[in-house]
Amino acid sequence: MEEKNKVTSEQINQLYRKLKEEAENSGYHLNFDKKFTKELIEGLLVNEIRYGYYSCPCRLSSGNKQDDMDIICPCDYRDADLNDYDTCYCGLYVSNKILSGEKELKSIPERRPSLEKRKGKKPDTANPIFSVPLPVWRCKVCGYLCARNEPPEICPICKVKKERFERFI
């Protein structure tokens, strides 16, 4: 690791405590392996220094925030990965089954579409449901939906910032 990207153990511990509290208050769990989890958190902090955001430490970031919005931790794929595999892609978040030892933590397949597929995604405007009076915003992390002129500053469910919402309808 380059010296300019070095983070301190206090920064790691501070973010660990913050993420653990947020996770537990929202019904999620951080990986029980503290050493592994803190290594991931160090990667998040290094990526924040490099790019200005918590890009997933297990994926290749472009350095362009708009292109990487789907992999800013917690990534858009976390809940689907937890539902299907009981862990997110990098293993930072785990299910109760893994937490209790009922299931073993294993690597999982990458769910993130290729860049070409992500860029080619267009909304379905032919559907009559698009005539609702207010825009409907969807949290790309947890799927929370709300109808209002602007997305909320912070998702009331998973606590990600406004920028993680997309116009759903």
Side-chain angles (χ1 to χ4, degrees), residues 42-55:
E42 181 178 8
L44 290 173
L45 288 165
V46 167
N47 284 341
E48 183 186 35
I49 293 167
R50 284 182 184 149
Y51 310 120
Y53 49 91
Y54 292 140
S55 180

Side-chain angles (χ1 to χ4, degrees), residues 129-136 147-149 167 169:
I129 198 166
F130 285 91
S131 63
V132 294
L134 289 173
V136 176
R148 51 197 286 181
N149 288 327
R167 186 164 176 170
I169 297 175

Side-chain angles (χ1 to χ4, degrees), residues 41-117:
I41 289 172
E42 181 178 8
L44 290 173
L45 288 165
V46 167
N47 284 341
E48 183 186 35
I49 293 167
R50 284 182 184 149
Y51 310 120
Y53 49 91
Y54 292 140
S55 180
C56 177
C58 297
R59 292 183 166 111
L60 187 59
S61 300
S62 70
N64 179 320
K65 190 173 184 179
Q66 285 305 314
D67 290 343
D68 291 341
M69 287 298 287
D70 61 325
I71 59 169
I72 295 175
C73 189
C75 72
D76 292 358
Y77 317 105
R78 176 188 64 180
D79 286 5
D81 285 345
L82 283 168
N83 287 338
D84 293 346
Y85 304 106
D86 294 297
T87 181
C88 68
Y89 183 70
C90 66
L92 180 62
Y93 292 93
V94 297
S95 71
N96 278 328
K97 287 181 182 176
I98 290 182
L99 199 62
S100 68
E102 180 183 331
K103 189 170 181 178
E104 185 179 333
L105 180 65
K106 295 180 179 175
S107 63
I108 66 170
E110 172 63 285
R111 186 180 297 268
R112 186 181 197 207
S114 67
L115 179 61
E116 293 78 28
K117 287 184 180 176

